[in-house]
Amino acid sequence: MLIDFFLHLKAAKLPVSTKEFLTLLEGLQARVIDHSLDDFYFLARATLVKDETNYDKYDRAFAAYFKGVTEIPGLEAEIPEDWLKLMMQKHLTAEEKAKLEKLGWDKLMEKLKERLEEQKGRHQGGSKWIGSGGSSPFGNGGFHPEGIRIGGKSAGNRTAIKVWEQREFKNLDDSVELGTRNIKVALRRLRRFAREGAAEEFDLEGTIRGTAQNAGWLDILMRPERHNKVKVLLFLDIGGSMDDHVRLCEEMFSAAKSEFKHLEYFYFHNCIYDYVWRDNHRRHSERFPLADVMHKYGDDYKLILVGDATMSPYEILQPGGSVEYMNAESGATCLARLLQKYPKSVWLNPEPERLWEYRHSIQILRDIMGTRMYPLSLEGLERAMRQLNK
Amino acid sequence: MRFEGSTNYVATPDLKLAVNAAIALERPLLIKGEPGTGKTMLAEEVAAALGLPLMQWHIKSTTKAQQGLYEYDAVSRLRDSQLGGVDGGRVHDISNYIVKGVLWQAFEADEQTIILIDEIDKADIEFPNDLLRELDRMEFYVYETRQLIKARRRPLVFITSNNEKELPDAFLRRCFFHYIKFPDKETMQSIVDVHFPGLKQSLLKEALQVFFELRDVPGLKKKPSTSELLDWLKLLLAEDIPPEALRSQDRKVSVPPLHGALLKNEQDVHLFERLVFMARNNR
Ligand SMILES: Nc1ncnc2c1ncn2[C@@H]1O[C@H](COP(=O)(O)OP(=O)(O)OP(=O)(O)O)[C@@H](O)[C@H]1O
Ligand SMILES: [Mg+2]
């Protein structure tokens, strides 16, 4: 049933809603498409996926679903021949492939069609696989025959199947890490974050209109100020593996600088200790004690830490653990103090999220952050900004 | 009623399907894509192909949802009342000061219309939310005159976005969505054919080669789009540039003629010329 397909997409973390699913059903009912799987792919995409950054996820989910089951949900479908070939090739053993070569593709397709016809005649229910007896050249091709017409002509050479197999939209996926390509989008999200802090300002035009409407009695109107009030303290881990990421972050935040009321940034190395610095060339001569920073910037600042959080746990937990100098207090203590002052805080981590659980130091810092650590991807950035706006 | 493409516009099968779904279910269709991929033109072509009138609403950063419904020109009314005289009766009838917006005009039309809401992302983030009910039910209430305006025939709504702002989920759930992928070579060839029927194939081939290679140059601020390609071709034709001139002869790298039409941004032109220069020296 179609509902399985829907649930499958949901399980694949696509943000699909019931309303949209009903629209899809409506579309099928209205015969927007006829029996082709290509068309079904497009219709379902136009109905259920509202953001091109999710196209790739959809392609993967679609391929996975129709690889295993191949029951075209609720409608008689036509599977393009080249897709069948492709699938078969993937699923066949070397031996079966050899047999196949001997038989030739055309022959094979014919046989497959015959087999399907038979199957239809027998009203077998859907559970039988074609040629599962092992004697056929199809091996465990794994097609659910019911309701499927095969070998239909596919729409030119731009068939959907090629789209979902090629994953053309891969680079639009927003869970990949930030790069120069998606930095623009990241910026837009940052701007929106900045915008959300906006307060009211006097609306001259609205006031004139309102006053006129009021038959001349003054009616003062306010509207959200275009500028915004968000203040940000940015702490960047610099040195070694972090340099590329830091450059990217700096670029991103400085591009968005005009959007923020205040944006201050500081550097640290690996973990936060009792001082930070502003200019990396003069990091040893020009230090800012953390206490001064905390004194200067009020607690209405939102704190964003960027770092890979990858180091020896000792560097976090032990006084004197820093690789750079003799720190009197442990990194954990300093960080905790900073967090106490700035309750609105997040940590952005350029390391892929799936690796986090394998790195002890990431776990520790994530704990200290109260789980407010997010991957440095568009989607992670989005979550982080949402957290900051809570 | 189905849209099968038109002689002026190349629509890929997936785009046609999305358009037809929107037509069949009478839901808005949201179109996104790089600049110049024919988002705006689509609505015009669908309207022409289906023979329906097109109502265009071009959105600016200051556009308010209310303006698509109607505006009450209170200031004129105030002025009229202050001046007195002219036409005393006029001031007392508020409906004289109601200015109909695009949606109202579409709703009261006798036949079905197509509404184009162009570049919706230019407006304030709240803009789409403010139109949810109107686009859902195709009706709205005029408080000043206590009138309910209801569409006689549900219009077909095309909405374009350049992705400058994200659109709210509630809004997205009500639309069909299609992202126009930048045309591949084959599609681009058809698009050019539409604009320059009978163009010499040899010229087209070389031109497309140059165009797609140029789009691949890393670091460009603005990649040339379909419109730039078309402009460039027009110039090539006007200047009677032969196809050979586009090909790099004896594997020499060269700047294509009239490349100013493809690269509009001065920095990009510099970047490109520098790259060509470097490539030449490396041979
Ligand atoms: N599929 C197409 N078929 C024919 N012509 C096309 C096509 N796509 C683009 N063009 C040409 O490119 C020009 C630009 O298209 P259009 O203005 O509709 O793009 P757009 O996506 O709305 O761009 P923008 O985002 O800049 O508003 C059109 O006038 C047309 O000449
Ligand atoms: Mg446009």
Side-chain angles (χ1 to χ4, degrees):
Chain A
M1 265 309 284
L2 205 50
I3 191 95
D4 289 335
F5 173 61
F6 176 68
L7 293 175
H8 176 80
L9 295 184
K10 250 190 141 65
K13 299 234 157 62
L14 278 157
V16 287
S17 72
T18 317
K19 183 182 169 70
E20 291 162 314
F21 176 59
L22 293 176
T23 310
L24 175 59
L25 291 181
E26 235 180 284
L28 292 172
Q29 225 154 36
R31 299 242 154 238
V32 173
I33 58 170
D34 33 46
H35 311 302
S36 107
L37 184 63
D38 288 3
D39 286 355
F40 177 73
Y41 163 83
F42 287 134
L43 179 65
R45 193 179 72 185
T47 329
L48 300 171
V49 190
K50 300 300 164 64
D51 184 350
E52 70 277 11
T53 59
N54 280 329
Y55 273 10
D56 184 53
K57 217 186 254 178
Y58 172 75
D59 284 351
R60 273 177 290 158
F62 195 92
Y65 186 80
F66 285 102
K67 208 172 275 178
V69 187
T70 68
E71 180 183 12
I72 310 307
L75 73 156
E76 201 191 11
E78 196 174 78
I79 297 186
E81 198 165 312
D82 40 355
W83 187 55
L84 269 184
K85 282 186 191 169
L86 207 96
M87 285 344 291
M88 293 243 159
Q89 255 156 354
K90 273 193 188 156
H91 290 279
L92 293 182
T93 65
E95 194 192 339
E96 284 164 334
K97 259 191 209 141
K99 257 196 210 165
L100 229 160
E101 307 285 58
K102 256 200 261 156
L103 204 64
W105 270 112
D106 294 343
K107 247 321 198 337
L108 178 90
M109 285 301 145
E110 236 161 70
K111 284 217 153 198
L112 189 58
K113 247 180 238 172
E114 268 170 37
R115 203 57 58 86
L116 279 171
E117 296 294 304
E118 272 173 38
Q119 201 107 4
K120 249 190 212 157
R122 272 190 272 146
H123 282 296
Q124 273 276 12
S127 61
K128 224 170 176 178
W129 303 68
I130 297 176
S132 55
S135 57
S136 90
F138 308 119
N140 286 325
F143 283 96
H144 189 306
E146 217 185 31
I148 299 178
R149 268 190 290 140
I150 53 169
K153 259 203 229 92
S154 50
N157 52 1
R158 218 174 295 111
T159 61
I161 207 69
K162 290 203 178 115
V163 181
W164 71 71
E165 289 286 314
Q166 284 174 4
R167 299 183 49 200
E168 295 188 34
F169 297 99
K170 192 158 68 185
N171 61 355
L172 297 179
D173 187 344
D174 73 350
S175 57
V176 300
E177 42 195 274
L178 289 183
T180 37
R181 201 206 70 80
N182 49 18
I183 194 165
K184 276 207 194 115
V185 188
L187 256 173
R188 258 178 248 133
R189 298 197 185 177
L190 269 185
R191 291 216 169 99
R192 196 177 49 173
F193 160 59
R195 242 336 257 293
E196 278 169 16
E200 305 256 283
E201 71 179 358
F202 180 59
D203 176 1
L204 178 63
E205 218 180 282
T207 302
I208 294 179
R209 209 180 318 116
T211 305
Q213 235 149 2
N214 246 359
W217 291 98
L218 197 59
D219 178 17
I220 294 183
L221 292 182
M222 305 293 282
R223 67 165 170 222
E225 197 184 355
R226 288 253 157 205
H227 293 288
N228 46 78
K229 295 239 148 96
V230 175
K231 303 175 179 177
V232 171
L233 266 181
L234 190 60
F235 280 62
L236 300 156
D237 178 1
I238 195 151
S241 61
M242 277 301 297
D243 287 357
D244 283 346
H245 301 296
V246 162
R247 200 185 33 75
L248 196 72
C249 280
E250 281 171 342
E251 213 177 288
M252 184 170 78
F253 278 94
S254 55
K257 197 171 164 102
S258 60
E259 305 284 328
F260 295 103
K261 179 142 191 210
H262 296 292
L263 173 67
E264 304 291 339
Y265 54 98
F266 294 96
Y267 297 110
F268 64 96
H269 185 59
N270 280 359
C271 191
I272 301 277
Y273 303 109
D274 17 85
Y275 70 89
V276 288
W277 59 95
R278 247 198 160 125
D279 180 340
N280 204 35
H281 297 299
R282 284 180 291 161
R283 58 189 288 182
H284 297 294
S285 54
E286 203 182 73
R287 298 169 167 184
F288 293 83
L290 193 65
D292 288 358
V293 173
M294 284 165 51
H295 183 70
K296 180 158 178 196
Y297 304 104
D299 55 12
D300 54 339
Y301 272 80
K302 304 189 184 206
L303 174 68
I304 302 177
L305 297 139
V306 184
D308 58 11
T310 299
M311 64 202 90
S312 141
Y314 184 72
E315 293 177 53
I316 308 174
L317 300 172
Q318 285 294 317
S322 164
V323 286
E324 297 221 319
Y325 79 118
M326 181 53 213
N327 53 315
E329 282 180 305
S330 76
T333 314
C334 294
L335 181 58
R337 194 178 299 135
L338 190 65
L339 294 178
Q340 202 177 7
K341 164 97 190 196
Y342 304 104
K344 299 272 184 209
S345 53
V346 292
W347 186 301
L348 294 172
N349 193 333
E351 291 291 307
E353 200 169 2
R354 66 195 145 75
L355 298 180
W356 293 3
E357 58 177 310
Y358 304 110
R359 304 245 171 96
H360 193 187
S361 60
I362 296 188
Q363 301 258 29
I364 298 173
L365 285 171
R366 190 164 172 266
D367 277 349
I368 299 179
M369 290 303 300
T371 74
R372 293 189 310 264
M373 184 180 279
Y374 304 91
L376 190 56
S377 63
L378 279 181
E379 173 273 338
L381 193 62
E382 171 102 37
R383 273 193 281 154
M385 297 306 136
R386 217 176 298 136
Q387 172 65 37
L388 286 179
N389 271 331
K390 261 190 193 155
Chain B
M1 206 165 45
R2 273 182 101 83
F3 174 62
E4 302 291 355
S6 79
T7 46
N8 303 321
Y9 188 79
V10 178
T12 51
D14 49 342
L15 175 59
K16 274 188 274 195
L17 199 149
V19 170
N20 285 320
I23 293 176
L25 301 193
E26 303 187 328
R27 303 271 162 83
L29 173 62
L30 171 65
I31 299 281
K32 280 208 266 179
E34 267 187 52
T37 41
K39 300 184 292 293
T40 305
M41 194 180 175
L42 174 70
E44 293 163 4
E45 288 303 314
V46 174
L50 302 182
L52 301 179
L54 177 69
M55 311 281 207
Q56 309 201 27
W57 187 13
H58 298 281
I59 307 302
K60 294 185 294 184
S61 64
T62 51
T63 307
K64 297 276 174 295
Q66 181 64 35
Q67 292 166 344
L69 312 178
Y70 67 93
E71 284 180 284
Y72 169 33
D73 189 359
V75 176
S76 295
R77 193 179 186 202
L78 181 65
R79 188 200 51 216
D80 285 359
S81 76
Q82 301 289 303
L83 294 177
V86 215
D87 181 5
R90 194 179 145 78
V91 174
H92 294 294
D93 186 357
I94 194 166
S95 66
N96 287 325
Y97 299 92
I98 302 274
V99 184
K100 291 173 187 176
V102 174
L103 295 190
W104 189 334
Q105 292 169 29
F107 286 3
E108 70 177 4
D110 288 323
E111 55 181 333
Q112 189 172 31
T113 58
I114 295 193
I115 299 176
L116 167 64
I117 304 181
D118 204 21
E119 312 199 354
I120 193 169
D121 53 323
K122 292 268 184 304
D124 195 82
I125 330 184
E126 285 307 320
F127 180 88
N129 276 335
D130 293 344
L131 283 177
L132 283 186
R133 201 189 131 84
E134 286 71 14
L135 291 180
D136 239 9
R137 325 249 323 228
M138 296 291 180
E139 64 178 41
F140 62 88
Y141 193 71
V142 186
Y143 293 95
E144 286 79 358
T145 57
R146 304 196 177 80
Q147 260 177 298
L148 180 73
I149 307 295
K150 202 170 164 50
R152 297 199 187 156
R153 277 289 267 123
R154 276 181 81 89
L156 301 172
V157 182
F158 287 80
I159 301 164
T160 76
S161 161
N162 273 334
N163 222 1
E164 279 183 22
K165 283 190 200 89
E166 302 209 357
L167 301 169
D169 290 340
F171 178 79
L172 292 173
R173 279 198 293 273
R174 289 164 164 81
C175 302
F176 285 104
F177 172 69
H178 183 81
Y179 176 79
I180 303 188
K181 192 164 67 74
F182 193 83
D184 54 16
K185 249 193 184 155
E186 206 182 315
T187 311
M188 193 56 100
Q189 199 154 347
S190 326
I191 294 178
V192 174
D193 282 346
V194 161
H195 289 267
F196 302 98
L199 184 73
K200 253 192 274 149
Q201 284 306 301
S202 51
L203 180 67
L204 176 59
K205 194 167 148 265
E206 300 296 344
L208 284 182
Q209 176 88 15
V210 170
F211 175 75
F212 279 100
E213 273 172 15
L214 195 57
R215 273 182 61 85
D216 278 342
V217 170
L220 285 188
K221 285 218 163 1
K222 175 161 187 331
K223 292 185 178 191
S225 71
T226 313
S227 349
E228 273 96 41
L229 172 65
L230 296 175
D231 288 348
W232 184 52
L233 282 170
K234 205 183 289 163
L235 285 179
L236 291 180
L237 285 177
E239 304 266 319
D240 223 354
I241 308 269
E244 301 81 61
L246 302 187
R247 197 178 317 135
S248 30
Q249 270 141 359
D250 358 308
R251 311 185 64 236
K252 250 202 306 213
V253 192
S254 63
V255 179
L258 305 168
H259 64 292
L262 290 171
L263 296 173
K264 297 270 171 72
N265 180 310
E266 204 173 331
Q267 275 168 301
D268 284 350
V269 174
H270 286 321
L271 172 74
F272 178 67
E273 286 171 349
R274 216 165 49 235
L275 284 174
V276 168
F277 181 73
M278 272 158 40
R280 230 187 249 152
N281 286 355
N282 281 342
R283 300 229 165 212

